[in-house]
Amino acid sequence: MTDRIFGVVGILLAIGFAFAAFAIEESFLSDAVGPKAFPLIIATILGLSSLAIVLKPDASPEWPSLGRLAEILAAAVVMVLYAELLPELGFIIATCFAAAYLTWRLGSGLLASVATGVGTSVGIYVIFHLVLGLSLARGPLGF
């Protein structure tokens, strides 16, 4: 029964996401696809996946323990903090902290997690900002 509840919540979330995507105003300078395409693709995939969960639930689902649920909640909090602090700290610093924490919780050692966070944030910055010329959030240090 919990799988079906989870699937229905996913379907409702997909519907809400689609309505939010349709509310995006298009500029006269947008490309042929427009800004609505990617969110609608995500909403479609989420809706179809959730429908599959509703129609064919697991016979005996196993939910994670309370400790694991707390870790999942902590990861979600880190992602919300990442979105909130990105304009304040800048892309490199915020991404470094988020990536380091998430890789640490996935089982990497502390030093390996810090190295992964730094490598990920600097690598993405180089590719997206320096190579592709895309604008990323600037922090107090100017990058």
Side-chain angles (χ1 to χ4, degrees):
M1 185 65 180
T2 57
D3 280 359
R4 287 201 168 113
I5 293 170
F6 181 71
V8 168
V9 168
I11 290 172
L12 293 174
L13 186 63
I15 291 169
F17 203 69
F19 277 121
F22 282 121
I24 297 173
E25 294 184 21
E26 293 189 34
S27 167
F28 67 92
L29 295 174
S30 66
D31 57 2
V33 177
K36 297 178 185 180
F38 185 71
L40 288 174
I41 291 169
I42 298 297
T44 302
I45 292 170
L46 176 62
L48 291 174
S49 301
S50 298
L51 183 64
I53 292 171
V54 169
L55 295 177
K56 190 169 181 175
D58 192 6
S60 58
E62 294 181 27
W63 284 85
S65 65
L66 187 60
R68 284 289 187 199
L69 284 174
E71 286 188 23
I72 293 169
L73 180 64
V77 167
V78 165
M79 295 309 296
V80 169
L81 286 173
Y82 174 71
E84 290 295 323
L85 294 175
L86 189 61
E88 306 300 323
L89 297 178
F91 180 81
I92 292 181
I93 296 171
T95 303
C96 180
F97 283 122
Y101 175 78
L102 293 173
T103 55
W104 174 62
R105 292 315 308 146
L106 286 172
S108 294
L110 189 59
L111 292 177
S113 295
V114 171
T116 301
V118 170
T120 300
S121 63
V122 171
I124 292 173
Y125 181 82
V126 167
I127 292 170
F128 283 92
H129 184 69
L130 300 179
V131 174
L132 297 175
L134 298 175
S135 177
L136 298 175
R138 291 183 183 263
L141 302 177
F143 55 85

